[in-house]
Amino acid sequence: MISAKDVHKSFGSLEVLKGVDLTVSPGEVVCLIGASGSGKTTFLRCFNGLEMADKGEIIIGDTPLLAPDTDINKVRQRIGMVFQQFNLFNHLSVLDNITLGPIRLRRLSKAQAETEARDLLALVGLADRADAMPRMLSGGQKQRVAIARALAMKPEAMLFDEPTSALDPEMVREVLDVIRNVARGGMTMVIVTHEMGFAREIADRVAFMHAGTIHEIGPPDQVFGAPRESRTREFLSKIL
């Protein structure tokens, strides 16, 4: 579903990604862990062109993302993205936030888009909040709306950039529960997270990033229980 080979990215003189490789199979959940500044979010954003890699190859399905003739907007319609700060449209109701993309880009009728949106709101536990404005919602509710909005585009894969980092602790579980449910439905996912217990539970593989590279990748029990690399052990010893 997603293939990245020798991906490099710099911002000015700062080299953030230093030749990263990762392949994500259809239906697989991969969690990216590592210290702040290790390149996790930049790498994730390269998968849908929010950051364009300077060098390397990224293939989404069978589409080479970096090819000059690739329509990046069409690729983005295939990959949902959930951000740290929700990024809802504050002037639109919950329902309108979710239906905007399907009406404009999937060309659904308003009635069909609203039917699908209400089903998604039920999925994320917010069936009674369709007419609410974002300012009326808690952080956890906003993030659940953001997940529903991404799912409304019928993506082939979902990217999550630290989806609980902006939430109060009591709201974290409600968002993680929704992500678990989406994963059980077979959605391909790449998740940047600092929630180690969650990563261990949900991931098929965990990738530890350090200094712009993937230092170690493997099943959660191996990475967390018997890490092979000293950098991984050092990182985990500080947070577990």
Side-chain angles (χ1 to χ4, degrees), residues 104-133:
R104 290 191 177 182
L105 299 174
R106 291 178 55 211
R107 306 299 184 189
L108 296 188
S109 67
K110 183 178 180 181
Q112 186 178 356
E114 288 186 354
T115 296
E116 291 188 5
R118 291 183 188 279
D119 288 342
L120 287 169
L121 284 172
L123 176 70
V124 301
L126 293 172
D128 61 339
R129 305 298 279 163
D131 297 324
M133 301 300 288

Side-chain angles (χ1 to χ4, degrees), residues 59-109:
I59 299 175
I60 305 300
D62 57 359
T63 302
L65 188 66
L66 302 178
D69 58 346
T70 293
D71 185 337
I72 189 67
N73 289 319
K74 287 187 176 179
V75 175
R76 287 174 180 156
Q77 290 179 40
R78 300 169 59 187
I79 300 187
M81 180 88 177
V82 177
F83 301 88
Q84 298 179 38
Q85 298 292 341
F86 327 128
N87 288 14
L88 299 180
F89 296 108
N90 290 321
H91 65 291
L92 298 179
S93 70
V94 165
L95 190 66
D96 288 342
N97 262 279
I98 297 172
T99 59
L100 183 64
I103 290 171
R104 290 191 177 182
L105 299 174
R106 291 178 55 211
R107 306 299 184 189
L108 296 188
S109 67

Side-chain angles (χ1 to χ4, degrees), residues 64-233:
L65 188 66
L66 302 178
D69 58 346
T70 293
D71 185 337
I72 189 67
N73 289 319
K74 287 187 176 179
V75 175
R76 287 174 180 156
Q77 290 179 40
R78 300 169 59 187
I79 300 187
M81 180 88 177
V82 177
F83 301 88
Q84 298 179 38
Q85 298 292 341
F86 327 128
N87 288 14
L88 299 180
F89 296 108
N90 290 321
H91 65 291
L92 298 179
S93 70
V94 165
L95 190 66
D96 288 342
N97 262 279
I98 297 172
T99 59
L100 183 64
I103 290 171
R104 290 191 177 182
L105 299 174
R106 291 178 55 211
R107 306 299 184 189
L108 296 188
S109 67
K110 183 178 180 181
Q112 186 178 356
E114 288 186 354
T115 296
E116 291 188 5
R118 291 183 188 279
D119 288 342
L120 287 169
L121 284 172
L123 176 70
V124 301
L126 293 172
D128 61 339
R129 305 298 279 163
D131 297 324
M133 301 300 288
R135 66 177 180 275
M136 302 163 62
L137 304 179
S138 69
Q141 290 172 330
K142 289 178 183 178
Q143 194 62 293
R144 285 185 280 160
V145 172
I147 294 170
R149 182 178 62 178
L151 291 172
M153 291 302 295
K154 303 292 186 184
E156 299 167 40
M158 291 276 285
L159 309 177
F160 293 86
D161 182 15
E162 298 187 29
T164 61
S165 65
L167 301 179
D168 293 333
E170 65 269 20
M171 298 177 185
V172 168
R173 178 169 295 278
E174 65 189 52
V175 172
L176 296 183
D177 284 345
V178 168
I179 298 173
R180 286 187 189 94
N181 288 337
V182 175
R184 292 187 189 110
M187 177 64 71
T188 306
M189 294 185 179
V190 183
I191 306 171
V192 173
T193 184
H194 289 297
E195 300 284 344
M196 296 300 120
F198 174 69
R200 188 165 193 164
E201 173 193 346
I202 197 173
D204 296 300
R205 288 185 298 154
V206 173
F208 168 65
M209 290 193 69
H210 173 75
T213 64
I214 291 179
H215 260 32
E216 183 164 356
I217 185 168
D221 286 347
Q222 179 260 302
V223 173
F224 289 111
R228 298 187 180 100
E229 301 294 329
S230 60
R231 290 286 189 184
T232 315
R233 291 194 294 270

